[in-house]
Amino acid sequence: MTAQDLVTMPRLGAPVASSDGRLAIYTVASTDPESYARTTTLYLRDLAAPQATAVALDLGGSASSPAFGADGALYFLSDRGAGGTTQVWRAPLDASGTTGSPVQVTNVATDVAGFELSPDGRKIALFGDVARDCPTFGCEGDGTAHLPGPGDGLLYSSEDGFVRHWDAWETPGTFGRVFAFDLVGGKAAGAGIPLDGPAGEGALVGDTPTKPFGGGEEIAWAPDGSGVFFAARRSNADEPTSTNVDIWWNDLTGSAPVNLTDANEATDTLPAPSPDGKWLAYAAMARPGYEADRLVIHLRNLATGETRALTESFDRSFGSLAWTPDSRWIVATAQDVLDTPAFRIDPATGEVEELDLMAGNEAHIGNVVPLSGERLLFTRDSIGAPPELFLSQGWQQAAPLTEVAGRHLGRLAPIVTRRFSFAGANGDTVWGQITKLDGQDGPMPAILYVHGGPQGSFNDAWSSRWNPRVVASQGYAVISVDFHGSTGYGQAFTDAINRDWGGKPLEDLQKGLAAALTLDPQIDGTRACAMGASYGGYMMNWIAGRWPDRFDCLVQHDGLFDMRSFYYATEELWFPRWDFGGSYAENPELYEKWNPVHHVGNWKTPMLVVTGQKDFRVPYTQALGAFTALHQQDVPAQLLVFPEENHWVLDPKNSLQWHETVFAWLDRWLGKE
């Protein structure tokens, strides 16, 4: 498997299903192997005939974010209309895949970023970036408050919230907002009702969906269409230090929304009303300021307002939840050791049952859509294979519905992944994985993968960026270790990295590498490189100074180099404030205790440094600092800078260049011909 194979592999999108559970639509993104241009095709599948061939839909132009309406039509986003703005369109659709001529549903003044249809088909909620004082979906001057002129300077105030987020400068006065419209004759009617209520003193000001990663999962219609639940965090001077996302309710009367979770100052998200309209399920954290706290499912009685923590006794963090159509069960996903299985939760008792949906390891299950008749539609991926669509019936093991990437994988050399555990720091059980070519003869150099987060995991899942299979296909054995701080092992294990960035995690990596070499004698530990991004990049800088004699080379991507300058240059300040016990001014000793810059004098391992100029989470100056340190120490080094990339490398051509540069670096120092 080459980098070209990875970059051009077809990519399956999340499925959507019709209300009767008979039809499903999913997207497949294809990449041209020469131009690297990406195109997306929508496919329709009849779930009553799982063996039938899916039908490609021809909608006569661009189409994304498909959704089934209660009227049986297909709704989608497209920029095909006059003016080139993105609007909602609809097209008649039957089970054979025959579509009628698309008709424009919305004609608002700015781009529609997404939409949610009410279950009764009588209303639609639109979301996009709109000025807070604009009473309609788009006004002249949206997004220009920070452009006072006459020059092109951006002017911000300390009273505002974020100045920049992830990879974009913020636009004071403009926010992600949601408006609800009536659907009359298949078209949005009227000026729309702003869910954040009228502008003015005391009004809700904030982004819905939350930025930068929120989506439609944060917006949910009441089953009877009487109102909308949505998640938002107030935007003000405290926003960069706050994780206080709340769930709000708007009854569409034009009044201000009601904050349903005002009592909790931590995150509340993923609102999901039961189909019978009696309950609101949502996920909530308990500790303000901690973005990696455990997400517990809560249940609110919509008639009385009584709320209880449903899964408090289950020590896993739920990342998605959905009701079965009969309101009998909640189906949710959560990381568990190296898998992300689905769980069935009884809303009456809170009992949590892991579902056995796959033969062998569950690997990574996502995009779960409960259907009538005890059926589940979902995607499943692993280290060995990208996502495919599956259907489970009667809560039993699922059958595949797609083979989007199967024919491509069939011509590639197979890999094998082995899970292992060992006694890490404090004698705790720590898990890892070894991925290598299946059946390869002779020794293999070792590549130690270090994940980011740091509250994350290199679990058994497919990645289009840090992909163990494509690295193993170059003849290396990829070893990943879920060190203290990783997710999927209970909240105490995740919390263990707090104020200890360079302590237990480094010990786990050292012991994990040794355990893997003992377990698999084919791995040549005398030839080894390590690589990681974000916190993994931090660890490369930390290893360079604290474990300088172990590796032949390092690959450091978007890594933190100087903790003091990082604190004052990043955007989400709640993150370092939690992990380092306050701001830099409040606890400088801890920041400096785990600061790689203090150990530059020990640096001797050749390092490839990679950064994106639009990375506002770990600004590119951190990479320049590390590269300068390497140069000053006369350590062989390279610096790869992507002017248009953020914390990730997303462009296909840039991804190809990233892989080719990394592979050349590994080959150079591990002696591969």
Side-chain angles (χ1 to χ4, degrees):
M1 182 176 178
T2 66
Q4 175 82 357
D5 294 318
L6 178 65
V7 168
T8 59
M9 191 78 66
R11 300 182 182 185
L12 175 75
V16 294
S18 58
S19 58
D20 61 5
R22 180 185 175 185
L23 302 177
I25 288 179
Y26 57 88
T27 61
V28 175
S30 302
T31 304
D32 184 273
E34 295 182 359
S35 68
Y36 299 99
R38 285 188 173 139
T39 57
T40 300
T41 304
L42 273 59
Y43 287 88
L44 176 72
R45 179 171 286 281
D46 187 344
L47 298 179
Q51 303 306 317
T53 302
V55 178
L57 300 180
D58 183 4
L59 295 170
S62 66
S64 62
S65 302
F68 286 98
D71 56 1
L74 174 65
Y75 290 72
F76 58 94
L77 292 179
S78 179
D79 60 0
R80 68 185 69 198
T85 59
T86 299
Q87 302 288 333
V88 180
W89 292 67
R90 66 183 289 274
L93 177 69
D94 63 28
S96 68
T98 302
T99 60
S101 298
V103 176
Q104 189 169 338
V105 175
T106 63
N107 188 23
V108 290
T110 192
D111 287 319
V112 178
F115 66 96
E116 295 291 329
L117 296 166
S118 65
D120 60 9
R122 299 173 62 184
K123 296 181 177 67
I124 185 172
L126 310 180
F127 56 91
D129 288 340
V130 179
R132 184 59 184 91
D133 59 4
C134 179
T136 59
F137 199 92
C139 289
E140 184 178 355
D142 285 355
T144 62
H146 63 315
L147 304 171
D152 60 0
L154 313 180
L155 182 63
Y156 294 90
S157 169
S158 61
E159 297 175 357
D160 297 328
F162 284 104
V163 171
R164 57 183 187 173
H165 215 154
W166 193 250
D167 59 1
W169 289 92
E170 290 296 295
T171 53
T174 296
F175 300 91
R177 300 180 63 198
V178 189
F179 285 70
F181 294 79
D182 289 329
L183 285 174
V184 180
K187 294 190 175 183
I193 298 173
L195 297 192
D196 49 4
E201 186 176 354
L204 169 61
V205 179
D207 291 303
T208 300
T210 56
K211 293 185 177 180
F213 302 123
E217 73 282 355
E218 295 181 337
I219 302 168
W221 280 95
D224 61 0
S226 61
V228 181
F229 302 94
F230 63 96
R233 174 179 54 227
R234 288 191 180 274
S235 179
N236 51 37
D238 296 329
E239 186 182 14
T241 63
S242 170
T243 61
N244 188 15
V245 178
D246 283 307
I247 293 175
W248 303 73
W249 161 254
N250 189 298
D251 62 6
L252 308 186
T253 62
S255 59
V258 177
N259 187 346
L260 301 181
T261 58
D262 188 45
N264 182 27
E265 296 182 357
T267 294
D268 303 282
T269 187
L270 305 179
S274 60
D276 62 11
K278 296 180 179 179
W279 307 95
L280 175 69
Y282 62 95
M285 297 181 182
R287 290 176 282 183
Y290 187 19
E291 65 179 5
D293 200 11
R294 181 167 60 114
L295 280 165
V296 174
I297 296 177
H298 288 238
L299 199 63
R300 179 186 179 93
N301 185 317
L302 291 174
T304 66
E306 180 184 0
T307 302
R308 60 191 172 98
L310 192 62
T311 61
E312 184 64 46
S313 62
F314 186 72
D315 193 14
R316 292 294 183 268
S317 183
F318 289 99
S320 72
L321 61 149
W323 289 87
T324 55
D326 60 3
S327 300
R328 175 65 184 86
W329 305 99
I330 296 172
V331 181
T333 59
Q335 289 184 8
D336 185 31
V337 187
L338 296 169
D339 294 313
T340 304
F343 297 85
R344 184 174 65 179
I345 302 166
D346 187 340
T349 65
E351 181 182 355
V352 180
E353 176 189 359
E354 182 176 340
L355 297 174
D356 181 13
L357 300 178
M358 302 298 302
N361 296 326
E362 298 295 283
H364 178 250
I365 288 175
N367 303 304
V368 179
V369 182
L371 305 173
S372 59
E374 298 184 339
R375 296 175 299 152
L376 291 178
L377 186 68
F378 62 91
T379 60
R380 187 257 191 181
D381 60 280
S382 66
I383 286 177
E388 298 288 358
L389 192 61
F390 289 81
L391 179 65
S392 165
Q393 303 195 55
W395 306 105
Q396 300 302 305
Q397 290 189 350
L401 295 180
T402 63
E403 197 178 17
V404 169
R407 62 185 179 88
H408 300 270
L409 291 174
R411 60 181 174 80
L412 303 177
I415 55 97
V416 59
T417 296
R418 179 177 184 177
R419 301 179 177 188
F420 68 99
S421 63
F422 60 94
N426 295 338
D428 297 335
T429 299
V430 177
W431 284 86
Q433 298 177 104
I434 302 170
T435 301
K436 63 181 185 179
L437 282 172
D438 190 12
Q440 177 176 333
D441 295 328
M444 302 179 188
I447 306 295
L448 179 65
Y449 255 26
V450 183
H451 68 67
Q455 293 89 356
S457 171
F458 264 135
N459 58 358
D460 192 353
W462 184 262
S463 172
S464 60
R465 296 187 302 274
W466 285 72
N467 187 295
R469 176 168 183 162
V470 73
V471 176
S473 293
Q474 313 310 306
Y476 299 114
V478 179
I479 302 165
S480 60
V481 173
D482 272 0
F483 47 81
H484 279 80
S486 298
T487 51
Y489 306 90
Q491 194 59 43
F493 192 86
T494 301
D495 293 347
I497 197 172
N498 181 240
R499 308 190 187 197
D500 194 33
W501 267 36
K504 291 186 291 293
L506 178 60
E507 183 178 345
D508 290 340
L509 293 169
Q510 292 170 329
K511 292 180 175 179
L513 177 59
L517 296 177
T518 300
L519 185 67
D520 191 338
Q522 188 181 27
I523 305 175
D524 182 2
T526 66
R527 293 185 295 157
C529 288
M531 54 193 292
S534 196
Y535 173 83
Y538 161 89
M539 184 53 70
M540 296 304 103
N541 291 331
W542 190 248
I543 284 173
R546 303 295 289 171
W547 198 13
D549 299 313
R550 181 60 187 90
F551 295 101
D552 297 282
C553 71
L554 301 171
V555 177
Q556 185 261 90
H557 185 142
D558 293 338
L560 291 74
F561 169 70
D562 180 3
M563 301 308 294
R564 178 171 65 174
S565 62
F566 163 76
Y567 178 83
Y568 288 112
T570 192
E571 15 83 299
E572 291 183 351
L573 290 175
W574 64 71
F575 162 58
R577 288 168 70 94
W578 182 272
D579 275 17
F580 288 87
S583 68
Y584 182 85
E586 292 168 333
N587 200 1
E589 295 81 8
L590 192 65
Y591 283 86
E592 298 303 343
K593 178 179 180 180
W594 304 121
N595 197 342
V597 76
H598 294 307
H599 306 286
V600 164
N602 297 332
W603 285 22
K604 62 178 69 172
T605 310
M607 184 188 296
L608 168 64
V609 181
V610 186
T611 188
Q613 278 188 249
K614 290 187 176 181
D615 182 0
F616 298 159
R617 183 62 48 85
V618 181
Y620 71 88
T621 50
Q622 295 288 303
L624 295 180
F627 186 67
T628 298
L630 292 160
H631 176 68
Q632 294 293 303
Q633 292 289 114
D634 293 323
V635 179
Q638 289 184 340
L639 174 67
L640 176 61
V641 180
F642 291 105
E644 298 300 319
E645 296 290 356
N646 55 33
H647 201 55
W648 301 328
V649 177
L650 302 177
D651 179 83
K653 291 182 180 179
N654 288 342
S655 178
L656 192 62
Q657 183 181 2
W658 184 94
H659 282 89
E660 290 175 345
T661 304
V662 169
F663 292 161
W665 186 254
L666 299 179
D667 295 347
R668 172 181 171 183
W669 298 103
L670 296 177
K672 182 180 175 183
E673 295 181 0

